[in-house]
């Protein structure tokens, strides 16, 4: 089984097509106005329609209300709801139940003690996404281009369904996969020229490097 690759924060048809053409398994659309990668419900619907049947679509949300989630789910018909806020395990399970979508919950890592938070979500969410803990005062819960120490995941049960994210690039994804023994990787800022602007060449390079790193 090859490494599964998700390209997140896509906001334009051209770069979405670049991700699909490179062979991305999942594409991510961000609904969070503070993010430079934010797309409106209308834009998200347009992009999701282009991806449908070619890759799975993940919708990134931050402490979204039921009304907003319902609007976005109706517009985009996503495969995955990716939660990056302070959503509790109960909230994650509730969203999965209400909307019938796979749910991923992002957990920020900065030290081994942070892994304890993941234990609360293994049953409530379909996957846990490990991202770097944002710096103090940061407005974005993810997409900050920061990596964490991948050795923190080296002793994680490999049967646990997790996603590796945070500071990944075409240059380091191979090493990250090897150390963390990740089966799924998620990139956003690592394939950009400036925040919010994806680079088709870096997208293709990332997919190639990730696939070359596995299986293991």
């Amino acid at each position: 089984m090859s490494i599964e690759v998700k390209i997140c924060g896509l906001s334009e048809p051209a770069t979405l097509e670049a991700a699909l053409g490179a062979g991305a398994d999942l594409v991510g659309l961000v609904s969070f106005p503070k993010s430079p990668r934010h797309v409106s419900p209308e834009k998200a619907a347009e992009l999701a329609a282009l991806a449908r049947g070619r890759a799975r679509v993940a919708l990134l949300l931050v402490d979204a209300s039921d009304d907003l989630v319902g609007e976005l789910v109706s517009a985009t018909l996503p495969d995955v709801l990716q939660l990056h806020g302070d959503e509790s395990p109960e909230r994650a399970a509730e969203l999965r139940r209400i909307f019938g979508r796979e749910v991923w919950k992002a957990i920020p890592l900065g030290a081994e003690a942070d892994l304890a938070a993941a234990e609360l979500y293994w049953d409530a969410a379909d996957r846990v996404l490990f991202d770097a803990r944002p710096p103090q005062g940061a407005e974005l819960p993810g997409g900050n281009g920061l990596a964490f120490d991948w050795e923190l995941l080296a002793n994680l049960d490999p049967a646990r369904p997790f996603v590796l994210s945070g500071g990944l690039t075409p240059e380091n994804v191979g090493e990250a996969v090897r150390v963390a023994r990740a089966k799924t990787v998620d990139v956003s800022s690592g394939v950009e020229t400036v925040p919010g602007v994806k680079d088709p060449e870096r997208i293709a390079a990332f997919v190639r490097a990730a696939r070359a790193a596995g299986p293991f």
Side-chain angles (χ1 to χ4, degrees):
M1 174 180 172
S2 66
I3 301 299
E4 186 178 45
V5 180
K6 175 174 171 283
I7 308 296
C8 197
L10 293 157
S11 58
E12 295 297 336
T15 47
L16 177 72
E17 287 290 346
L20 296 170
D25 301 287
L26 298 103
V27 293
L29 310 176
V30 174
S31 176
F32 185 53
K34 291 182 179 180
S35 171
R37 305 162 188 99
H38 171 72
V39 291
S40 67
E42 296 76 19
K43 188 73 169 183
E46 174 192 353
L47 296 170
L50 290 173
R52 193 163 298 120
R54 303 165 68 189
R56 296 209 298 154
V57 175
L59 182 62
L60 190 153
L61 305 163
V62 180
D63 298 317
S65 67
D66 284 357
D67 287 345
L68 177 58
V69 179
E71 177 186 2
L72 290 166
V73 166
S74 296
T76 63
L77 302 176
D79 301 283
V80 176
L81 300 179
Q82 184 173 320
L83 310 180
H84 273 259
D86 293 323
E87 299 89 357
S88 67
E90 294 76 17
R91 178 59 172 161
E94 179 182 49
L95 288 170
R96 181 167 60 178
R97 176 181 57 79
I98 293 173
F99 296 103
R101 260 60 185 186
E102 186 175 323
V103 168
W104 296 5
K105 179 64 180 83
I107 300 293
L109 287 188
E112 188 171 0
D114 295 330
L115 284 170
E119 293 298 322
L120 304 175
Y121 289 92
W122 292 119
D123 293 329
D126 295 277
R127 303 197 204 184
V128 168
L129 182 146
F130 291 110
D131 199 353
R133 181 170 291 283
Q136 189 171 4
E139 290 196 330
L140 302 181
N144 293 296
L146 300 176
F148 60 88
D149 181 0
W150 305 314
E151 291 283 354
L152 291 173
L153 301 180
N155 295 319
L156 187 70
D157 181 349
R160 293 291 199 187
F162 76 92
V163 180
L164 180 62
S165 187
L168 298 180
T169 67
E171 294 77 22
N172 70 14
V173 66
E175 178 68 4
V177 164
R178 184 190 67 79
V179 174
R181 300 177 301 161
K183 298 182 176 71
T184 304
V185 292
D186 182 12
V187 67
S188 185
S189 61
V191 291
E192 293 179 340
T193 51
V194 296
V197 180
K198 295 290 188 286
D199 181 336
E201 291 186 4
R202 287 189 66 75
I203 289 173
F206 184 89
V207 175
R208 286 195 303 269
R211 293 273 162 69
F216 51 87

